[in-house]
Amino acid sequence: MARTSLQSRLAIGIAAPVAVATLLTVVLVSYGVRQLVDDFVLTRLEHDLETLVAGVELSPDAPPHQGKQLTQVYQQPYSGHYFQIEAPGSAPQRSRSLWDQRLDLPDLEPGERRTFRTRGPEGQPLMMLAEGFSQSGRSAVVGVAEDLGPLTSTVQFLQIAIGGLGVLLLALIVLAQTALIRRGLAPLSALRQELHRLEQGDITELNANRVPAEIQPLIKEINQLIRLISSRLTRSRNALGNLAHALKTPLTILDGLAEDGERTTGDELHRQVAAMRNIVERELRRARLAGGGMPGRTLAPETALGELVDVFSKVYANKAITFDIQAPPELKLPLDREDFLELAGVLLDNACKWCDHRVQVAVERTGETTLLIVDDDGPGCPAEQRDSLAKRGWRVDEEQPGSGLGLAIAADILEQYDGLLSFHDSPLGGLQVKATLKTGRD
């Protein structure tokens, strides 16, 4: 199927009703002009008919006689103004303008009147008004007619002029609306150029100030998507750097063990390989948690947290952790699903690693702020060390597996939402991690 441009669709959508309206206007105006002419001619014919009937004399043994003098135009041959009086048994009386021609009058009863078009002398188009009347016990029919030829020519000229004017007006309207459409769509051309500059890396986001108000929401959504993709790309790069940094130390140790082959033991090799395996599995688990759903701007936290709990119940099956999720079922957050899963996954993973047997997760929404609170019943963290928990690569206990990057990744996600990561004593006895996000109103 051939694609139609937006400009063509708008042009057709506007031109079609304008063309129909113009055509109807031309037809109505043409009909109105013709009707006006007919009414004008009929008014004159009625006046002449009344004058003619008032001057007719009917007698039982004589033909009809018109004694009242009409205007001079009825005396001029083929002048275009005619009358004729017919009575049964008598020769018709005609105006001198008919010369030797005769009008075809209908048979009418007294008081009956009829208006119709007919042909007159030399084929002239006539409008005729005929009426039946009686006098002195005798009936007659009188008819007056007027040549419509000159007026018809004038009407046709007016109709052609009106039609031409309508076509000209339609052309001007189409040209004007085409120019307006092009002018209205000009910001889209500028937007296309900005998209090209964005692709080339010359700008970081689209300018929403130079586009119409109707397009600004679209630009804002595109810019939000650009920031989201940029944030994910940055986190992906950081994740690769984190993984490389975390593997650097075990690889250095393995390299040293390879050079000192005589003192190398199998336990040392296994220990370093296990450390590398833990790092790789941790990063793969985080990637699997973050990529569990399609991207979206609205999510139900209860459902998302339920999915995470199912995963961590299997990962930390040896601890038999009891999870307590506190999130209203009707709550919907305007957050990207991948961001929320990665953030909650990092905090839950940290809580599961340090807890004894219990982890509690709560989601609260107040105005434009959303709180994600994760508590555990583990040993907690000394107050003097809490400020360092979110630093990249910093670890409370070097004996615990991990790279010290999880909470730093959570802080990076919160930065995208103007959020904050804070640490407190948990009512369960361990550590409470509170993530505050600016999510806006629904």
Side-chain angles (χ1 to χ4, degrees):
M1 182 182 295
R3 294 182 179 179
T4 305
S5 67
L6 180 60
Q7 179 175 332
S8 299
R9 292 180 181 179
L10 291 175
I12 294 174
I14 296 176
V18 169
V20 173
T22 303
L23 178 61
L24 290 177
T25 302
V26 170
V27 171
L28 291 176
V29 171
S30 298
Y31 175 79
V33 170
R34 179 174 176 177
Q35 192 64 34
L36 182 63
V37 170
D38 288 352
D39 292 344
F40 172 72
V41 173
L42 185 59
T43 301
R44 295 202 308 191
L45 291 178
E46 288 177 345
H47 176 269
D48 290 351
L49 179 66
E50 292 173 358
T51 303
L52 190 63
V53 171
V56 173
E57 296 178 2
L58 292 179
S59 58
D61 2 345
H65 174 68
Q66 212 290 324
K68 192 170 183 179
Q69 183 69 26
L70 294 179
T71 58
Q72 189 63 29
V73 72
Y74 286 96
Q75 306 299 321
Q76 299 174 4
Y78 306 132
S79 64
H81 293 263
Y82 313 104
F83 74 81
Q84 183 171 301
I85 304 172
E86 293 183 357
S90 301
Q93 182 182 359
R94 297 171 293 178
S95 64
R96 294 194 61 185
S97 56
L98 278 172
W99 203 244
D100 57 350
Q101 300 292 324
R102 181 174 178 177
L103 299 176
D104 293 327
L105 297 182
D107 294 330
L108 299 176
E109 297 295 329
E112 186 179 359
R113 178 177 289 189
R114 185 181 302 176
T115 303
F116 58 94
R117 292 174 182 265
T118 185
R119 288 287 175 179
E122 298 182 342
Q124 296 170 326
L126 301 180
M127 175 175 281
M128 177 176 288
L129 177 62
E131 183 179 10
F133 71 100
S134 63
Q135 188 182 99
S136 303
R138 191 178 183 189
S139 62
V141 177
V142 61
V144 289
E146 182 174 341
D147 183 10
L148 295 177
L151 292 176
T152 300
S153 300
T154 303
V155 170
Q156 290 177 349
F157 173 78
L158 288 176
Q159 289 176 333
I160 294 174
I162 292 171
L165 183 62
V167 172
L168 178 61
L169 180 62
L170 175 62
L172 291 177
I173 292 176
V174 171
L175 289 176
Q177 62 95 12
T178 301
L180 288 175
I181 290 174
R182 289 181 178 177
R183 184 176 179 180
L185 295 179
L188 294 182
S189 299
L191 178 60
R192 183 177 61 182
Q193 295 176 359
E194 286 203 350
L195 287 172
H196 180 70
R197 293 180 59 197
L198 181 66
E199 181 183 2
Q200 298 297 322
D202 298 334
I203 56 177
T204 57
E205 63 179 30
L206 303 176
N207 187 352
N209 298 325
R210 295 188 299 173
V211 297
E214 293 80 4
I215 305 179
Q216 286 184 357
L218 174 62
I219 301 301
K220 292 180 180 179
E221 289 297 327
I222 293 177
N223 286 336
Q224 174 63 23
L225 180 61
I226 292 172
R227 288 191 289 269
L228 179 62
I229 294 175
S230 177
S231 175
R232 290 181 181 176
L233 180 60
T234 300
R235 294 208 305 271
S236 297
R237 289 173 177 172
N238 289 338
L240 291 175
N242 295 340
L243 182 60
H245 178 76
L247 292 175
K248 183 177 180 180
T249 300
L251 287 174
T252 301
I253 296 175
L254 287 176
D255 185 57
L257 292 176
E259 292 181 357
D260 192 6
E262 295 181 357
R263 292 183 296 176
T264 300
T265 64
D267 291 340
E268 292 175 339
L269 290 175
H270 285 302
R271 187 164 55 252
Q272 297 305 321
V273 171
M276 294 175 65
R277 182 180 294 110
N278 288 334
I279 293 171
V280 173
E281 289 180 353
R282 183 182 181 87
E283 295 299 328
L284 289 176
R285 183 168 66 248
R286 182 177 295 121
R288 183 169 63 252
L289 290 173
M294 295 295 292
R297 295 299 310 278
T298 303
L299 62 89
E302 183 187 41
T303 303
L305 291 174
E307 296 174 0
L308 292 174
V309 166
D310 290 341
V311 174
F312 285 116
S313 297
K314 298 175 182 177
V315 173
Y316 294 96
N318 59 319
K319 284 190 172 185
I321 300 174
T322 300
F323 292 92
D324 180 14
I325 300 178
Q326 300 177 4
E330 70 280 1
L331 180 62
K332 297 291 187 296
L333 297 179
L335 289 173
D336 182 77
R337 177 181 174 84
E338 181 177 336
D339 288 344
F340 182 82
L341 286 175
E342 188 168 3
L343 172 63
V346 167
L347 300 185
L348 274 173
D349 191 13
N350 185 75
C352 291
K353 182 172 67 174
W354 291 99
C355 76
D356 290 334
H357 300 290
R358 186 180 177 191
V359 172
Q360 179 178 289
V361 188
V363 180
E364 301 175 1
R365 182 85 185 277
T366 305
E368 299 182 358
T369 302
T370 298
L371 295 178
L372 174 62
I373 305 172
V374 179
D375 292 276
D376 66 73
D377 62 348
C381 178
E384 62 274 9
Q385 295 182 350
R386 292 175 185 173
D387 292 339
S388 302
L389 287 178
K391 291 183 179 179
R392 193 172 300 276
W394 193 88
R395 298 167 61 188
V396 176
D397 187 356
E398 295 294 336
E399 298 299 324
Q400 286 283 351
S403 59
L405 301 172
L407 294 177
I409 292 174
D412 291 341
I413 297 174
L414 288 173
E415 184 178 357
Q416 178 185 345
Y417 294 92
D418 296 328
L420 179 67
L421 194 65
S422 59
F423 306 94
H424 313 273
D425 291 328
S426 172
L428 301 182
L431 181 68
Q432 180 186 83
V433 183
K434 182 183 295 185
T436 306
L437 302 92
K438 299 294 184 180
T439 52
R441 296 187 180 275
D442 292 334

